[in-house]
Amino acid sequence: MPLFSKSHKNPAEIVKILRDNLAILEKQDKKTDKASEEVSKSLQAMKEILCGTSDKEPPVEAVAQLSQELYNTGLLVTLIADLQLIDFEGKKDVTQIFNNILRRQIGTRIPTVEYISAHPHILFMLLKGYEVPQIALRCGIMLRECIRHEPLAKIILFSNQFQDFFKYVELSTFDIASDAFATFKDLLTRHKVLVADFLEQNYDTIFEDYEKLLQSENYVTKRQSLKLLGELILDRHNFAIMTKYISKPENLKLTMNLLRDKSPNIQFEAFHVFKVFVASPHKTQPIVEILLKNQPKLIEFLSNFQKERTDDEQFTDEKNYLIKQIRDLKKLAP
């Protein structure tokens, strides 16, 4: 029994039809309706090979053939480059095909991770997708699938393009900015040892830009950034980062300003960063001086801080602990 019947095209044929019709779409001439239809059909045929159907498992040999064709012809790159020319359902199919082929393993090898590592511009095309509203969310889904793999996360982290996240999380379109932040957070929390190394090597640049996020006019960006900062400095892998961050008086001043933000949610997230400064047994001289200078005000402020959170025992305990720490503070011996 042949693997492909006359009515079912083999992977090489599907890839050829798809490439030919994407080339027509790129020209944007009168034949695009027919080409668009062919693109949709080819994407569905591809999806069926990769994902199987409700009554049929994906055929292993055909999946291997299709994967090889996608790499050899460069179609994987073309699908991302032409994503905005493809219709709505087709964009969903491309995302599913990309993510599915990325998860494919042969023993311990993950061929698509190897392929993207050798063609890293694929990652940067996906990242730049945040600048095109019609494809931004689709690119975000594919980018997060890539980030699950440490070699690909490393390429993005240590690239110049990483800085673009600080721009994308501030975009005026809420859905896109939120999606970019989800990717940004994933990148900074998924591979702990890699991220700790990255943050240590790039501390000044990253935290200079991060400070701007903490002072953003956008409430959601500000809150998410503050929450992520708390998560990063409380992670044991980032001990060196935390030590450096809480030694800087400007960081303490910014956190104390955020404690007085008009939003109770931002105040609450700022509290979780502030407590790291106060609870540290190794405070630097400038930090001790700021806390001593504001000692009476801080004790009064914390005593009345978010009293309505009566059902949150941990918060109350932490608040009382901080009040005691500030009350017991003494000047460091010169």
Side-chain angles (χ1 to χ4, degrees), residues 247-307:
S247 70
K248 312 269 187 204
E250 60 273 21
N251 294 338
L252 176 57
K253 286 175 188 168
L254 175 58
T255 307
M256 284 165 67
N257 284 334
L258 290 167
L259 274 173
R260 298 200 309 270
D261 193 272
K262 60 180 184 290
S263 156
N265 289 324
I266 285 174
Q267 292 172 8
F268 185 66
E269 297 304 343
F271 174 81
H272 289 300
V273 175
F274 178 69
K275 72 185 182 190
V276 186
F277 285 94
V278 178
S280 168
H282 308 294
K283 298 177 192 67
T284 58
Q285 181 72 40
I287 297 298
V288 172
E289 282 172 7
I290 292 171
L291 293 173
L292 279 172
K293 187 181 171 188
N294 295 279
Q295 195 176 34
K297 284 183 193 165
L298 280 169
I299 291 168
E300 187 187 350
F301 176 81
L302 288 170
S303 301
N304 297 302
F305 183 67
Q306 300 209 352
K307 276 187 160 174

Side-chain angles (χ1 to χ4, degrees), residues 120-136:
H121 63 289
I122 292 173
L123 296 167
F124 305 131
M125 285 166 75
L126 290 172
L127 184 55
K128 211 161 176 53
Y130 279 125
E131 296 173 20
V132 186
Q134 309 92 295
I135 62 169

Side-chain angles (χ1 to χ4, degrees), residues 312-324:
D312 189 339
E313 281 184 34
Q314 188 183 340
F315 170 68
T316 308
D317 290 348
E318 285 179 349
K319 208 168 65 153
N320 290 336
Y321 175 74
L322 294 192
I323 292 168
K324 184 182 184 310

